[in-house]
Amino acid sequence: MEQPTSTPSPPPPPPLFSRAAVAASCVGFVLIGALQALYGPSIPALRDTYGLSPSAAGTGLSAHFIGAVAGVLVFDRLFGRIGNRRLLGWSYLLMAGGAAGFALAPSWPLALGLALLAGLGFGGIDYGLNQLFAVGFGRRSTAMLNILNAHFGIGAVLGPALIGLVGAAHYPAVFLGFAALTLPLLLCLAGVRDEAPPRGGDTGVSEDTAADTGVRRRVRARSLATVLGAFVVLYVLHVGIESGVGGWEPTHLEAIGYGATAAASATSAFWLMMTVGRFLVAPLALRWSAQAIIAVSCAGMTGCLLLAAIPAAAPYAYAGAGLFIAPIFPTGLPWLLRAAPRAHRAGALVMAASMVGGVAAPPALGKAIELSGVRAVPLILCAISAVCLITTVWLIRAASPSVLPTSSPVPLTPPVPPTSLELPTPPDEPAPATERTS
């Protein structure tokens, strides 16, 4: 009897990143974290150089963020049409050229244009590497995203420290130095695979079957839009809390009796704990689901901000809030891609919205604080954090298959229902890094 022949399985695709490319990506995040943090400490020198008012000098960071939002949207539009190496390479060049031009610009309008150009490259690097890390490491993606974003925090601490060391008057040299450090990263792009794995929305599943009626399609679209809206709310509000604590913690601490030095040190501790928190959560992400980590983070953040209303505990509570805020941004991206697998541009929408929220939140918080007083800062932030927690709990329930149907074929046997903190893996995708193991 002729023995059946087995078809050899195709070899697995090469890894998306070489080890050198992973290391270069982390260095890239140190640089973009530093660049974003350099504008604020440079304001005194910018005012002297260009004869600006404080509000006018602050528009440099606003131009940077406008460019960053545009960079996210442009990178997302070109994702899959142009190779990853070319997209990342152009992003690094735009950021380096914009930062160097900002340092040497002879006039303020030109400096603003170059800050926008640097922001365009910043947004491409931020979104591009987050997107590729979210799909490129299988079960380890959530852990790797937390490590990647922890390096952003390292840069955000180093940038202002360097300005403080050399003096604000020497800000052009610091901007030029960071621009120069960006260029060697171009050499490491050879270790990035040009073709990325499919995004959450490109899972390769078949189109809706004939049994899927128009009513089901409308329910799916409505549920998907609601889930995406909830993720936008979560990201905008938690970024608003992050910028709110960073901006208003010193003022609140001084108002309740702490000295200026102690208040500044406590604020530095908040940013430091955000960086430490992302490193700490990386091994936990290999055992716990993303939604469980985010739920715990939102609950802890809310509790710490409530505790910050007690003067004696305030500095420590703010540091604890930084620790709990840390995992939300990077951990939410893989969850988003699984919860909305057919939304091709979900990641770009959420990241762009979070950047807009980071710009809009401080003035909005300032207005609320004008009405209620500086001592109400932790309670206002606590209320916003409570909304984040409620949104997370709603997402855990709403993003289940029974509420958000997919177009995958109906299985012959009933599936095992997921627990409240676990979502099923979309077809043809590697198991997520966020699944809890025994």
Side-chain angles (χ1 to χ4, degrees):
M1 180 182 295
E2 185 178 355
Q3 296 293 328
T5 58
S6 59
T7 304
S9 58
L16 186 55
F17 290 90
S18 67
R19 290 186 178 181
V22 171
S25 299
C26 291
V27 173
F29 258 58
V30 172
L31 294 179
I32 67 173
L35 176 63
Q36 179 178 311
L38 287 176
Y39 291 96
S42 302
I43 284 178
L46 292 173
R47 292 184 62 194
D48 292 339
T49 301
Y50 299 105
L52 303 173
S53 66
S55 59
T59 57
L61 183 58
S62 299
H64 171 87
F65 269 110
I66 292 170
V69 172
V72 169
L73 299 178
V74 169
F75 195 111
D76 178 74
R77 178 63 63 177
L78 297 177
F79 187 87
R81 302 180 186 182
I82 299 178
N84 298 322
R85 289 194 289 270
R86 187 182 302 178
L87 279 172
L88 289 172
W90 277 109
S91 297
Y92 280 127
L93 286 173
L94 285 171
M95 186 178 76
F102 180 82
L104 302 174
S107 66
W108 184 240
L110 180 58
L112 287 178
L114 290 164
L116 190 147
L117 188 68
L120 190 67
F122 170 100
I125 297 165
D126 189 17
Y127 172 71
L129 289 177
N130 270 307
Q131 182 73 35
L132 294 175
F133 270 58
V135 299
F137 292 94
R139 292 177 55 85
R140 297 183 297 135
S141 287
T142 303
M144 293 302 292
L145 275 168
N146 275 280
I147 292 173
L148 178 71
N149 281 272
H151 285 83
F152 184 98
I154 293 174
V157 172
L158 288 179
L162 189 56
I163 289 285
L165 181 65
V166 303
H170 297 288
Y171 80 89
V174 179
F175 273 89
L176 287 171
F178 278 102
L181 290 173
T182 302
L183 298 179
L185 299 181
L186 297 171
L187 302 176
C188 299
L189 292 178
V192 180
R193 199 172 88 220
D194 234 11
E195 295 296 326
R199 295 190 292 185
D202 304 313
T203 57
V205 296
S206 61
E207 293 299 318
D208 295 349
T209 60
D212 191 8
T213 64
V215 173
R216 279 186 55 122
R217 285 193 293 270
R218 286 194 296 273
V219 170
R220 180 184 302 115
R222 188 164 57 247
S223 299
L224 179 61
T226 306
V227 167
L228 286 179
F231 270 104
V232 168
V233 169
L234 175 63
Y235 267 69
V236 169
L237 293 184
H238 104 268
V239 170
I241 294 169
E242 177 184 321
S243 61
V245 173
W248 286 98
E249 180 184 355
T251 305
H252 172 249
L253 291 179
E254 289 185 40
I256 59 177
Y258 289 88
T261 302
S265 299
T267 306
S268 298
F270 166 77
W271 293 113
L272 179 63
M273 293 304 287
M274 281 194 61
T275 301
V276 171
R278 285 170 177 166
F279 281 116
L280 291 178
V281 85
L284 298 178
L286 299 175
R287 297 182 56 84
W288 295 88
S289 68
Q291 47 270 50
I293 291 172
I294 293 177
V296 171
S297 295
C298 289
M301 179 172 64
T302 304
C304 285
L305 290 171
L306 183 61
L307 191 62
I310 303 173
Y316 310 99
Y318 280 125
L323 189 68
F324 282 109
I325 289 174
I328 297 176
F329 187 97
T331 305
L333 292 177
W335 182 21
L336 169 65
L337 295 181
R338 291 197 312 277
R342 298 185 63 82
H344 292 248
R345 293 187 165 85
L349 172 66
V350 167
M351 288 191 65
S354 69
M355 289 179 178
V356 173
V359 176
L365 283 171
K367 191 64 178 177
I369 290 166
E370 283 181 14
L371 298 174
S372 54
V374 174
R375 290 177 176 270
V377 166
L379 296 179
I380 294 172
L381 294 174
C382 179
I384 299 172
S385 182
V387 176
C388 289
L389 178 58
I390 293 169
T391 303
T392 300
V393 173
W394 183 89
L395 274 170
I396 291 171
R397 296 179 177 274
S400 64
S402 60
V403 178
L404 185 63
T406 66
S407 61
S408 54
V410 178
L412 296 177
T413 58
V416 179
T419 66
S420 61
L421 293 180
E422 294 179 352
L423 292 175
T425 305
D428 303 327
E429 287 192 350
T434 54
E435 194 173 59
R436 184 181 175 186
T437 59
S438 57

